Each structure stands twice: as structure tokens, then as C-alpha cells.
Amino acid sequence: MPVLAQKASNSSSFSLDAQVRPRTEMRGGYRTPLLEGQHAAVLTDQRTRLGVRYADTGFELRVNFQDVRVWGASPTMTTGGMEPSSGQVNLGLVEAWASVNLGQSWKLTAGRQIISLDNERYFGTVGWAQTGRVHDALMLRKSDDSSPWKWTLGGSYGQQQAVLIDQPFALPGAYKALALAHGAYEPQDGVSRISGLLTSVQRTASPHRFEHTAGLTYSKKAPWSLVLEGYVQSAGAGAGTGYLLAGSLSTKTGRHQWTIGTDWLSGDQENTVAFSPSFGTNHRYYGLMDYFYAGSGHGSVGLMDHFVKWASTFGDGNTAKHSLTAHYFVKGDASEMLGWELDWALSKPLHPGVTFSCGASVLDGTGDLLELKGWTEDLVAEGTGIQSWGWIMLSVNPTLFSQSK
């Protein structure tokens, strides 16, 4: 009888969801300057996802398949069931995790999962990239609606393949080991929030390369919105210290919001080293043309990014949004200007689960920026000139099936 009563009280849910997200871009200087004699590239890449989620009172699991490809990179017809390698990411798993309820508001999640903390300065989803960013990790989380405190502990230890003895680890974009601890205090009034992060990453097994990072984030919503962030980073004793300092202030009047702020990331100097926002959503912060940190290197000189942003809603129910952001880039030691960038973006829901978005950006870089991108001295004197980038994207995110009992 107790077993039957327990089964009757259980509730479960199952859902099947999908995403189709093609994006067309005109790259006339995206990520790196377009020089004389070079022509802008036009391409379309597409993310396709199909995911299932099952949740019961005691556990939850998620499996999400993903295909990412560039239009035209695969033939219209394959021979012998084999598709030639095109150097692009195709079918794979973007999520494959199980979460178990341990009681007292604690949950243990194991598997391939997204790690998103605070404002995604160091751990983020990187949602703009068609592949996104995921981690193979074990995460222990505590979140209770009756308490303002939320806690996260996590870790991972990886190998490049199923080895019999420990091997050196040198997979680009990955890590050998990860440990993190995160805590956040969020009062029920929802006005302010403060959080802290401690994390250590081992990049390679031999030689050892560690990256220890600690950070604090504070935000306050009313009457002005204030965000302050500070991170320090070191590779170990005697290796020097890097830092990230960021602050922004915004106000809203009607449909319009105005924001002003500065991001300051250290570079290699006499007493500091370059800060690395390793797993952050950098596309969100340092200009949408991704000249800095987001998949495009600029050496180890750091960055100062002063910005002003205007955002507004419009249309029925104020569901459509557009924004205009101006950036002014300087080297991390404030010695040289690197250029300026102007980003415009728009998004508009067309139907439930369907969103159209587009954007355009221009960037004017200096000779110092061109040199950081690795171009020769005779080209540096010309500067980069005005670089441009435009894009349109359709995102269809239906829930194909959902059932609860």
C-alpha cells in the first residue's frame, strides 16, 4: 500500500522540442579586416536541434541533438551513404544530462550541459554561435525559493579518448580539469543581487597550465540600474595577475532604455598579465563584429571598451526590440586607440516560437588594430578602413509535443 500511494502522488512530464535557425551574413570585415583586393563573403549557416526532456519528482533528464552546417558545404547527393568531410561541425550532442533530486533543495546534474553563471563573463551559453558552448561536468546546485541564497559546486576531469594510462591533454578549446564554486545572494524584493565565483581550470596535463579566477558581481535595479563586476586571474605563484573590471549604469523612460559603461581587461604589462574570459559569452560585450575575445584574437594587450547603448521596444505589446550601441576601443594599458564600432540589431516575434532578427555593424580600426591581427607593416600604415557586417536570422523554436500526468 505505501508503494501504491507513492506512485499515485508522483507527477511526471515529457516534452519534445525543436529548433531550426538559419542565419545569412555579409562579412565585409567580420572578425578580421578586409584588405584591398579582398571581397566580402556571403554565407548562410544553420543550427538544427531536436531535444527531449523527461521530469519526475525525483529526477530530470535532457537529451538534445544538434546539427550545424554551412549551406553548400555538403553535396546535394551522397554516394555510398558517406558524406565527405567539409571541416564543419555536423551532427552531435549539445546536451545529454541527468539531474537527481537529493533533498533539501539540492540537485546533482551529471553529463553534457550548459554552464551559465551571473552575466556570463566567465561561464556562458555563447548562444550567438550556432554550436553554442557546453561542458562535460558534474554540478551540485542548491536553490530554495524560501531562501535568498543559491549555491553551485562543480567539477570535471577529462581525457581526449578512452586511454589505458594517463595521457597529455592538448585539445584546443577544452580543458583537462575544472573546479568551481559559486554563491549568490538575492533578496526577495528583487532589487539587488550579489554573487561570487571561484574557479580553477587545468588546460593541459603536461606541462601543467592552470588558470585560477575569482570574481564578484553586484547589480541593483531601481531607480537606476547599476552593474559592477570585478575578476582577478592568475596562472599560479609568481605568474602575475590579470583583472577584469566592468561597470554600467542605465535608466529607462517609457519604451526607451539608455546605458553607459566601461569594460577594462588587463593585458601583459610589467605587473599584470592578460585576463582571459575563457568560457564567457564575449560576443555580447566587446562589439558584435567579434574583433576581441569572441573567436578572434588580438594578442595579449588587453582591452578598454567604453560604450553607450540605446534600446527600445515597439509594435503590438512592445514585443519587438531594437538597439544601437557605440563602442570606443583602447589597448588595456590605455596607450593606443584601437578603433570604434557601431552595432544595430532588431528582433521581432512573428508567431509564438518564431522570431525574425537582423543587424548591421561598422568598424573603423587603427593601424595598431591591424597589426594586432597579424598583418604586415606596409598594410598597417593604411589602417583598416571602414569594415562592415550585416546579418538576418530566422529562429523557429516549436514545442512539438508536451504531456504531463
Side-chain angles (χ1 to χ4, degrees), residues 212-366:
H212 310 295
T213 307
L216 289 174
T217 300
Y218 173 78
S219 61
K220 184 177 181 298
K221 292 184 179 180
W224 289 71
S225 293
L226 173 68
V227 179
L228 298 174
E229 299 169 275
Y231 289 79
V232 293
Q233 188 175 82
S234 176
T241 302
Y243 56 83
L244 182 157
L245 301 173
S248 65
L249 188 65
S250 61
T251 184
K252 190 172 183 180
T253 56
R255 298 184 177 185
H256 306 282
Q257 184 174 23
W258 298 89
T259 303
I260 185 171
T262 293
D263 297 337
W264 187 6
L265 292 84
S266 65
D268 285 339
Q269 300 168 35
E270 184 177 351
N271 299 314
T272 63
V273 296
F275 184 91
S276 174
S278 297
F279 313 110
T281 303
N282 301 315
H283 175 81
R284 178 188 300 178
Y285 292 107
Y286 313 116
L288 298 184
M289 290 183 71
D290 291 345
Y291 269 62
F292 309 98
Y293 301 109
S296 179
H298 65 289
S300 56
V301 301
L303 181 70
M304 295 183 69
D305 175 16
H306 310 293
F307 65 90
V308 176
K309 180 178 181 179
W310 165 80
S312 180
T313 59
F314 64 97
D316 296 337
N318 289 336
T319 56
K321 303 176 183 179
H322 62 150
S323 64
L324 185 66
T325 307
H327 297 267
Y328 182 80
F329 302 118
V330 182
K331 284 184 178 180
D333 61 0
S335 63
E336 300 287 348
M337 174 189 173
L338 296 177
W340 58 264
E341 181 175 332
L342 197 62
D343 299 319
W344 172 79
L346 175 146
S347 66
K348 179 176 174 56
L350 302 180
H351 303 285
V354 181
T355 302
F356 169 82
S357 54
C358 63
S361 298
V362 292
L363 178 144
D364 186 12
T366 64

Side-chain angles (χ1 to χ4, degrees), residues 118-199:
D118 299 323
N119 296 326
E120 300 194 346
R121 289 285 186 177
Y122 194 81
F123 285 106
T125 60
V126 195
W128 168 261
Q130 297 286 40
T131 56
R133 187 188 295 279
V134 291
H135 302 257
D136 298 317
L138 186 69
M139 303 293 290
L140 182 63
R141 297 180 175 92
K142 181 178 176 62
S143 179
D144 187 348
D145 292 339
S146 63
S147 171
W149 289 97
K150 302 182 187 299
W151 302 98
T152 300
L153 301 173
S156 178
Y157 188 85
Q159 299 283 3
Q160 289 184 236
Q161 55 185 328
V163 298
L164 297 179
I165 59 174
D166 197 31
Q167 299 287 336
F169 191 92
L171 185 65
Y175 48 80
K176 177 74 173 181
L178 166 72
L180 71 89
H182 180 267
Y185 179 74
E186 303 179 33
Q188 294 184 350
D189 59 14
V191 174
S192 61
R193 180 182 186 273
I194 187 168
S195 61
L197 170 69
L198 289 173
T199 182

Side-chain angles (χ1 to χ4, degrees), residues 14-20 48-53 62-65 352-354 396-403:
F14 175 83
S15 63
L16 177 66
D17 58 85
Q19 182 185 57
V20 176
T48 305
R49 290 180 176 178
L50 182 64
V52 296
R53 184 187 298 269
R62 169 74 168 170
V63 178
N64 194 0
F65 296 94
V354 181
V396 182
N397 305 271
T399 298
L400 304 176
F401 179 80
S402 179
Q403 185 179 43

